[in-house]
Amino acid sequence: MQLDLVFVTKYRRHSFTKAMLELLEDVLRTVCIDFESDLVEFDGEKDHVHVLINYPLTVQISKLVNSLKGVSSRLLRKEYPKIARH
């Protein structure tokens, strides 16, 4: 099955830089591997990120999305503390 997700920053603020998007792609790819899923496409701009994921039917979508959002948020805030102000 395929899952197409769009993650948007709060108030659509322009928070992401190119370096942040590269880190974010690596983090999301790692989380997908943990869920035995495959990150097919990743693209992002300053205020949102598009993600296309292939996942097995045994994976609960809600747990996958919660993990993607939680882990990526935690690691981005740790690496770039100024993003927490946005």
Side-chain angles (χ1 to χ4, degrees):
M1 299 285 297
Q2 285 192 337
L3 182 62
D4 186 17
L5 299 171
V6 178
F7 297 127
V8 180
T9 59
K10 189 173 183 177
Y11 306 120
R12 301 277 304 204
R13 289 195 174 123
H14 294 245
S15 301
F16 295 133
T17 63
K18 184 174 176 128
M20 287 179 188
L21 291 172
E22 290 172 359
L23 174 65
L24 188 58
E25 181 177 7
D26 291 338
V27 169
L28 295 179
R29 199 169 296 281
T30 303
V31 172
C32 285
I33 290 171
D34 291 343
F35 278 87
E36 299 175 355
S37 301
D38 183 35
L39 181 65
V40 178
E41 284 186 33
F42 175 90
D43 190 27
E45 294 184 19
K46 293 183 178 191
D47 63 347
H48 68 279
V49 174
H50 291 271
V51 180
L52 182 64
I53 299 172
N54 281 337
Y55 67 97
L57 292 175
T58 57
V59 173
Q60 293 180 8
I61 296 174
S62 61
K63 289 188 178 190
L64 174 61
V65 172
N66 283 339
S67 185
L68 289 169
K69 290 177 72 175
V71 172
S72 63
S73 174
R74 187 171 47 254
L75 291 178
L76 274 176
R77 287 171 191 259
K78 182 179 178 183
E79 188 71 26
Y80 299 97
K82 68 176 184 124
I83 200 170
R85 292 183 299 201
H86 291 246

